[in-house]
Amino acid sequence: MRVGVLVSGRGSNLRALAAAEGVAYELAVVISNVEDAPALAFAQARGIPTAVVSHRGWPQDAPGGPRAAFERALTARLRDAGVEQVVLAGFMRVLSPEFVGAWPGRIVNIHPSLLPAFPGLHAQAQALAAGVRVAGCTVHLVDEGTDTGPILSQAAVPVRWDDTETTLSERILVQEHRLLPRVLDALARGQLQVQWGPEGRRVVGELEPQ
Ligand code: GRF
């Protein structure tokens, strides 16, 4: 399965995807909207094809507006690379329903909370503020909402009484790096599927126990 990874920053999840061995996916392209993202430098050093598609500078009078033009450029790059599955790994732009519709059921996101709790920014701080005793991370399919699509898999991380946003984020990140490659591998092998039925959508299948 040819995977295209969209990034904006640090790229630790991208590293985890690249480091996984014996997986049924390959990284076909890494696209960043930020030219100096460390994630992009990592991909270049690793010999993974890369592209920069800035979200800035698109003409106001482009059909559908500047964001639509930006997203068309993203889709064109992804298609050029023969991408079958898109992964958002710290990609800091909200994607429109049009972009999501161009990749139906084919975009995966990783989010640092146990969704549906704490969507949006600063999920770990939201968890601490709410006083939950278990936090974690979620890999889900992207739909038109923010962090609302079908959940593919989750990992729990106990919250410690003396956690700060930094310490909790670090421990969640360890689980993110374990979870994301496993989910992509399971998708590539057809072990995880989303089905739509009369009661709505449901995810069929499990990750293999490790
Ligand atoms: C991760 O915490 C991920 O859950 C969130 O953005 C962060 C990206 O980190 N969506 P990195 O760039 O993969 O290191």
Side-chain angles (χ1 to χ4, degrees):
M1 185 174 73
R2 291 179 67 78
V3 172
V5 187
L6 303 187
V7 297
S8 300
R10 178 176 58 182
S12 69
N13 278 289
L14 170 65
R15 286 171 187 261
L17 286 171
E21 290 174 358
V23 289
Y25 64 83
E26 60 179 307
L27 301 184
V29 68
V30 172
I31 304 177
S32 176
N33 64 315
V34 178
E35 202 172 345
D36 59 357
L40 202 62
F42 165 77
Q44 283 160 351
R46 185 86 187 215
I48 303 166
T50 60
V52 177
V53 180
S54 176
H55 56 282
R56 298 211 179 92
W58 299 96
Q60 288 296 329
D61 60 357
R67 182 166 81 162
F70 163 61
E71 292 182 345
R72 279 195 296 273
L74 283 179
T75 287
R77 290 289 190 164
L78 291 165
R79 295 218 194 282
D80 284 350
V83 164
E84 299 159 283
Q85 177 73 55
V86 179
V87 178
L88 311 183
F91 185 64
M92 298 307 287
R93 308 301 300 176
V94 174
L95 294 164
S96 72
E98 287 72 29
F99 183 88
V100 174
W103 298 92
R106 293 262 156 207
I107 311 173
V108 158
N109 182 44
I110 178 141
H111 182 76
S113 78
L114 293 177
L115 291 171
F118 316 128
L121 293 174
H122 306 296
Q124 305 94 331
Q126 292 184 55
L128 288 176
V132 296
R133 307 313 303 266
V134 180
C137 55
T138 302
V139 178
H140 67 97
L141 289 182
V142 173
D143 67 7
E144 288 74 18
T146 300
D147 302 324
T148 52
I151 291 170
L152 295 169
S153 195
Q154 296 181 301
V157 175
V159 178
R160 296 184 186 151
W161 67 268
D162 57 351
D163 259 332
T164 62
E165 185 178 359
T166 303
T167 59
L168 180 60
S169 299
E170 283 170 355
R171 291 206 314 289
I172 293 173
L173 204 56
V174 172
Q175 297 305 319
E176 292 184 39
H177 297 163
R178 295 181 66 221
L179 192 65
L180 186 59
R182 293 184 67 210
V183 170
L184 262 293
D185 184 50
L187 285 172
R189 294 178 194 277
Q191 292 165 351
L192 269 184
Q193 289 169 348
V194 180
Q195 294 181 351
W196 277 265
E199 282 130 39
R201 64 202 180 192
R202 67 186 184 121
V203 172
V204 180
E206 300 284 346
L207 293 190
E208 299 281 331
Q210 266 191 334

